[in-house]
């Protein structure tokens, strides 16, 4: 497209788009005819056609043969993955735990096969941070997330990391087994520590079967605890 014509197309396109988005032309309205638009903007029919084609690509108009070009209702904006997760809803957390089981069980097995010494060191450091945080103030959700991320990184398959990063720290359950004071119970913290250590030891030992089983037990156990909470 020659530079001058490209500029004219953009000018017509921007003008029509502004009129549509401002409500001057509403869904169901027909745009002026091609001849009318060429006269209004002082451009060729080719320029008008290209501008209309761009509006169609944007999902703003629907050209109908023999009838004209009609403004249509814009499609709803795409919802970002996992942006509608409500961590205060037990059912939402069960959904996340089921998804995590499908991903992280295999990630633990792959990490046991493929980890490097540097990745082992990172996993050990992440486990220590989880345990230290539990001793200081109960569950440290960020440290817990970092441990699972370190295991995912040790798969040396970046897709596992990408999925967990999309989920973010919200994937770590925030409802625990609580004591009368409302704090996370010591028994619950001890159980989480045991489960995490079992996963890490299996990965570091290179035992993919044990790593898979330990991660499955950890995530299935969390599902079971949440289902009990859901039932009251």
């Amino acid at each position: 497209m020659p530079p001058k014509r490209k500029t004219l197309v953009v000018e017509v396109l921007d003008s029509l788009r502004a009129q549509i988005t401002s409500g001057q032309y509403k869904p169901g309205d027909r745009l002026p005819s091609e001849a009318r638009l060429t006269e209004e903007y002082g451009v060729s029919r080719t320029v008008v056609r290209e501008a209309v084609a761009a509006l169609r690509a944007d999902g703003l108009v629907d050209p109908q043969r023999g009838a004209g070009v009609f403004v249509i209702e814009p499609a709803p904006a795409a919802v970002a993955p996992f942006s509608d997760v409500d961590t205060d809803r037990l059912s939402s957390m069960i959904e996340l735990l089921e998804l995590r089981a499908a991903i992280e069980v295999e990630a633990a097995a792959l990490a046991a096969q493929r980890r490097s010494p540097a990745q082992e060191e990172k996993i050990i450091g992440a486990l220590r941070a989880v345990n230290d945080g539990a001793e200081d103030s109960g569950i440290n959700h960020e440290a817990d997330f970092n441990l699972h991320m370190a295991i995912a990184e040790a798969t040396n398959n970046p897709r596992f990391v990408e999925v967990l990063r999309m989920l973010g720290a919200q994937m770590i359950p925030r409802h625990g087994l609580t004591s009368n004071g409302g704090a996370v119970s010591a028994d619950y913290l001890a159980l989480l520590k045991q489960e995490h250590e079992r996963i890490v030891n299996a990965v570091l030992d290179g035992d993919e079967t044990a790593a898979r089983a330990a991660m499955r037990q950890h995530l299935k156990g969390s599902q079971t605890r949440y289902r009990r909470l859901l039932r009251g």
Side-chain angles (χ1 to χ4, degrees):
M1 183 187 296
K4 182 178 181 181
R5 196 175 88 201
K6 181 176 180 179
T7 301
L8 292 173
V9 170
V10 172
E11 288 178 0
V12 176
L13 172 62
D14 288 347
S15 175
L16 290 173
R17 183 189 285 117
Q19 292 176 73
I20 292 171
T21 56
S22 68
Q24 185 173 337
Y25 292 119
K26 298 179 174 59
D29 289 349
R30 185 173 64 181
L31 293 184
S33 66
E34 188 177 279
R36 176 74 178 274
L37 290 173
T38 59
E39 181 181 349
E40 180 180 341
Y41 289 102
V43 297
S44 68
R45 288 178 179 266
T46 301
V47 169
V48 170
R49 288 170 186 163
E50 291 178 4
V52 169
L55 290 173
R56 181 182 185 181
D58 289 344
L60 295 176
V61 300
D62 178 27
Q64 298 179 15
R65 184 180 296 275
V69 179
F70 292 85
V71 177
I72 59 177
E73 194 75 42
V79 178
F82 308 109
S83 62
D84 61 345
V85 172
D86 183 353
T87 55
D88 289 327
R89 288 179 57 238
L90 296 175
S91 57
S92 278
M93 294 311 299
I94 291 172
E95 291 169 354
L96 281 182
L97 287 166
E98 288 178 347
L99 175 62
R100 288 180 58 196
I103 297 169
E104 292 194 72
V105 168
E106 193 59 29
L110 290 174
Q113 297 176 49
R114 301 174 178 175
R115 76 223 178 275
S116 68
Q119 289 167 336
E120 288 186 356
E121 186 175 5
K122 186 171 183 178
I123 290 170
I124 292 169
L127 177 63
R128 286 175 179 160
V130 172
N131 291 340
D132 291 345
E135 291 175 2
D136 293 340
S137 57
I139 298 175
N140 184 325
H141 299 92
E142 194 66 37
D144 197 327
F145 174 70
N146 290 338
L147 172 59
H148 286 269
M149 281 291 288
I151 293 170
E153 289 170 2
T155 67
N156 290 296
N157 179 337
R159 306 310 172 196
F160 284 98
V161 176
E162 289 172 8
V163 172
L164 294 194
R165 187 171 289 127
M166 275 199 300
L167 291 172
Q170 68 177 356
M171 76 180 196
I172 304 301
R174 294 177 182 272
H175 297 275
L177 303 179
T178 59
S179 62
N180 293 333
V184 178
S185 71
D187 288 344
Y188 184 57
L189 291 175
L191 177 63
L192 290 182
K193 179 179 179 181
Q194 183 183 63
E195 290 178 353
H196 284 146
E197 289 179 348
R198 189 178 293 121
I199 296 167
V200 168
N201 287 335
V203 170
L204 299 183
D205 289 342
D207 188 337
E208 59 185 281
T209 300
R212 189 181 283 114
M215 184 65 80
R216 181 181 293 109
Q217 181 183 14
H218 174 54
L219 295 175
K220 290 292 185 181
S222 293
Q223 288 182 45
T224 299
R225 290 188 284 271
Y226 262 67
R227 291 184 191 281
R228 286 174 182 164
L229 289 171
L230 189 61
R231 290 195 297 265

